[in-house]
């Protein structure tokens, strides 16, 4: 029986590519989203992947949403924590609301979803949790204390849960994308991209969502059973961690 994969923020951008790639690899995929119904309906019509609307920052909503996915498709064996937002501002101008929104959506969400799949993964003796962080959680970024903190927090969560899951066949890993050609990056003016960002990327271009999706498919696979607690940087050489 095909394994069940849940992709948060799975209807747009990088998540869209991850959902499609997992389906192509033979998984039964559920794609979660927050509020953009038009994009979600179009995604479902185009891909045939069922969509589930809930806020990953809301613990009770995650419990209910994952219960529904489990009822419809079966217990989640592959969880991809991809949903994320930015609310950029220099710290001296950042509001408490901007801080809270990003921590809630980008970091609390990882607990909220993982908590509701971990028990069934432990009972099955198999699980894959793949957390989408960011280059800016690795190296820091001006105007992103909230985002860099949330994304760096994901790395600590990943390593701690990797210890807990190891004896139960559960791997937990992080992927840290560099600058990927999605709507999030399309919002950056072309001149800034051409003069400030792309020159810092040794490969000389933005990444594609499909390049992140292929890394997810590998980490979800049986072939990746010995990879846990790791961070896979997919950034064109933009930041090479020691
Ligand atoms: P997009 O903004 O294109 O898509 C975000 C997706 O997440 C959408 O499906 C959105 O749903 C969903 N989402 C947002 N908030 C919530 C929420 N509270 N509950 C449930 N779903 C939510 O983002 P990207 O594809 O650009 O980014 C995906 C991930 O990759 C993020 O974690 C981001 O931080 C990370 N990343 C992206 C990089 C890039 O260059 N783009 C670089 C490094 C990391 P809806 O459609 O309903 O709004």
């Amino acid at each position: 029986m095909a394994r069940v994969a849940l992709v948060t923020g799975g209807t747009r951008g990088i998540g869209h590519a991850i959902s499609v790639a997992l389906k192509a690899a033979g998984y039964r995929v559920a794609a979660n989203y927050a509020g953009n119904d038009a994009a979600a309906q179009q995604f479902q019509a185009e891909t045939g992947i069922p969509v589930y609307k809930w806020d990953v920052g809301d613990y009770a909503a995650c419990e209910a949403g994952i219960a529904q996915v489990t009822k419809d498709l079966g217990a989640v064996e592959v969880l991809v924590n991809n949903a994320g937002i930015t609310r950029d501002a220099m710290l001296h101008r950042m509001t408490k609301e901007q801080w809270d929104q990003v921590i809630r959506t980008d970091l609390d969400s990882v607990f909220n979803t993982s908590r509701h799949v971990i028990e069934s993964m432990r009972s099955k003796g198999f699980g894959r949790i793949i957390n989408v962080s960011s280059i800016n959680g690795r190296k820091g970024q001006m105007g992103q204390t909230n985002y860099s903190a949330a994304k760096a927090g994901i790395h600590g969560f990943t390593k701690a849960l990797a210890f807990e899951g190891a004896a139960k066949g559960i791997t937990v890993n992080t992927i840290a994308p560099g600058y990927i050609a999605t709507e999030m990056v399309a919002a950056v003016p072309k001149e800034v991209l051409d003069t400030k960002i792309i020159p810092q990327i040794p490969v000389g271009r933005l990444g594609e969502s499909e390049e992140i999706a292929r890394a997810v498919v590998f980490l979800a696979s049986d072939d990746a059973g010995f990879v846990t607690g790791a961070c896979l940087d997919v950034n064109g050489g933009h930041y090479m961690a020691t």
Side-chain angles (χ1 to χ4, degrees):
M1 187 79 143
R3 287 187 173 136
V4 175
L6 168 62
V7 184
T8 69
T11 56
R12 285 199 293 120
I14 294 171
H16 183 299
I18 294 170
S19 298
V20 167
L22 286 170
K23 184 179 179 191
Y27 295 85
R28 279 175 294 153
V29 179
N32 149 270
Y33 72 105
N36 189 333
D37 295 316
Q41 292 312 320
Q42 190 181 341
F43 166 86
Q44 179 166 306
E46 280 171 14
T47 64
I49 295 170
V51 296
Y52 295 84
K53 179 178 175 176
W54 80 79
D55 173 8
V56 291
D58 180 333
Y59 182 75
C62 286
E63 182 170 27
I66 289 169
Q68 189 62 50
V69 171
T70 304
K71 194 169 161 230
D72 294 347
L73 303 181
V76 174
E77 293 152 297
V78 176
L79 169 65
V80 185
N81 283 309
N82 164 77
I85 58 167
T86 52
R87 296 288 182 271
D88 296 354
M90 298 286 275
L91 186 67
H92 59 277
R93 293 201 197 94
M94 187 175 287
T95 63
K96 174 81 167 86
E97 195 187 7
Q98 287 172 315
W99 174 266
D100 287 342
Q101 281 178 342
V102 170
I103 298 297
R104 189 174 176 278
T105 306
D106 295 15
L107 181 58
D108 289 353
S109 61
V110 175
F111 168 76
N112 294 344
T113 53
S114 302
R115 180 64 187 86
H116 296 300
V117 301
I118 198 73
E119 289 178 52
S120 66
M121 287 180 177
R122 288 174 68 89
S123 333
K124 274 199 174 177
F126 178 87
R128 297 280 187 263
I129 298 179
I130 300 154
N131 299 317
V132 179
S133 173
S134 167
I135 186 173
N136 292 345
R138 305 278 275 162
K139 68 172 190 55
Q141 178 60 39
M142 291 259 283
Q144 290 196 328
T145 49
N146 49 3
Y147 186 78
S148 297
K151 293 298 191 180
I154 288 176
H155 296 290
F157 178 95
T158 295
K159 289 187 274 188
L161 188 57
F163 274 115
E164 295 182 15
K168 295 281 184 188
I170 302 165
T171 67
V172 190
N173 292 289
T174 299
I175 293 175
Y179 285 82
I180 307 299
T182 63
E183 280 173 42
M184 197 184 254
V185 167
V188 179
K190 186 174 182 318
E191 196 218 320
V192 175
L193 276 177
D194 289 345
T195 60
K196 297 213 163 74
I197 294 179
I198 291 174
Q200 292 179 43
I201 305 173
V203 168
R205 62 171 175 85
L206 297 176
E208 297 295 331
S209 294
E210 289 72 18
E211 293 178 300
I212 305 303
R214 287 195 286 274
V216 170
V217 170
F218 168 66
L219 289 174
S221 71
D222 286 343
D223 287 345
F226 203 56
V227 183
T228 196
C231 176
L232 183 52
D233 292 301
V234 185
N235 64 25
H238 191 166
Y239 176 71
M240 303 184 197
T242 49

